[in-house]
Amino acid sequence: MPTTIILFEDNDRLRESLAYLLKMNGYEIAGDYNSCNEAATIVRVYRPDVVLMDIDMPGHSGIEGVSMIKEARPETAVIMYTVFEEDDKLFQCLCAGANGYLLKKTPPAKLFEAIQDVLEGGAPMSPAIAKKVLSTFQAKQETKKYNLSPREIEVLQWLIKGYSIKQIALEMSLAFDTIRSHLKNIYQKLHVNCGKEAIVKALSERIV
């Protein structure tokens, strides 16, 4: 049986072109929609193998759409198909349950490969997206290595932005001495002597 796909894309021209392209390559299009407001009902009725989901749509966003689909039918694989490369949208989609993340500039051949990959249990991603995921993973590993607490990471992030101890205390609604104590702990854990050294190390090793 052919692989069944549902498209959620509010750009009518792109959605129609995608549907035609996929049909011409042996896929069965169970439906194509310009919003994902009824995504849960749609996947329950049509039981697709794969969903291609845009992010920026009227009504519910594609990120919300992923959550609805995964709650309604977890076995349906969802590949985000979007122009967005921002870290926040990427990780929101992955946390919502997306199985893959492709940029719309992906060549058709790579799109077909991604569909096959996700059917086999893979997590297809455009190269730029995979690089972001890897970088974040590496950064988390570095943070873990130095055993920085979430609060210390937050202080370090403010420090990198150029904030003084007083400004950090104000932003975090904490006492001046508390921030100074956090910084002292950060310097000890990173094995540095001052704020500038901490910033250099944090950036060079992608700790935050």
Side-chain angles (χ1 to χ4, degrees):
M1 290 181 64
T3 299
T4 57
I5 297 176
I6 285 179
L7 308 176
F8 291 101
E9 167 62 63
D10 68 329
N11 183 320
D12 295 337
R13 194 169 182 178
L14 175 59
R15 191 178 69 254
E16 291 166 6
S17 297
L18 264 177
Y20 176 77
L21 181 66
L22 290 164
K23 284 177 184 176
M24 291 298 291
N25 282 271
Y27 297 99
E28 179 183 331
I29 303 303
D32 61 273
Y33 303 88
N34 61 8
S35 86
C36 62
N37 294 342
E38 303 300 326
T41 300
I42 290 167
V43 297
R44 284 196 197 100
V45 171
Y46 294 103
R47 304 169 67 83
D49 298 307
V50 178
V51 163
L52 290 182
M53 176 75 75
D54 188 19
I55 290 180
D56 191 14
M57 288 186 287
H60 291 296
S61 71
I63 299 169
E64 295 171 298
V66 177
S67 295
M68 290 189 287
I69 289 169
K70 286 301 180 178
E71 185 175 343
R73 193 169 190 270
E75 60 267 42
T76 291
V78 182
I79 299 175
M80 307 310 295
Y81 191 67
T82 178
V83 297
F84 293 111
E85 297 186 46
E86 290 90 340
D87 290 0
D88 60 338
K89 286 186 170 59
L90 164 61
F91 291 107
Q92 283 176 42
C93 288
L94 296 180
C95 289
N99 301 90
Y101 199 105
L102 297 181
L103 299 176
K104 287 182 177 177
K105 58 187 177 183
T106 301
K110 293 295 183 183
L111 172 59
F112 303 148
E113 286 179 16
I115 292 170
Q116 187 58 41
D117 188 13
V118 83
L119 288 172
E120 294 172 357
M125 295 184 189
S126 295
I129 298 303
K131 187 175 180 181
K132 283 178 180 287
V133 172
L134 180 60
S135 294
T136 300
F137 172 76
Q138 290 171 336
K140 286 183 177 179
Q141 290 301 104
E142 291 298 332
T143 301
K144 187 176 179 182
K145 181 173 77 175
Y146 290 111
N147 199 31
L148 294 174
S149 70
R151 180 56 59 85
E152 288 166 351
I153 292 169
E154 188 178 357
V155 171
L156 186 54
Q157 287 171 332
W158 285 116
L159 189 68
I160 289 170
K161 291 177 182 178
Y163 282 62
S164 66
I165 296 177
K166 186 177 180 180
Q167 289 171 323
I168 296 172
L170 186 62
E171 290 291 341
M172 296 181 67
S173 300
L174 295 172
F176 180 92
D177 287 341
T178 301
I179 299 301
R180 189 164 59 180
S181 177
H182 281 312
L183 285 171
K184 183 180 178 181
N185 290 335
I186 290 169
Y187 298 162
Q188 288 178 343
K189 289 180 179 181
L190 295 184
H191 308 295
V192 297
N193 298 307
C194 65
K196 288 183 179 179
E197 288 184 13
I199 291 170
V200 170
K201 189 158 191 172
L203 294 176
S204 64
E205 297 189 18
R206 296 181 176 180
I207 295 171
V208 295

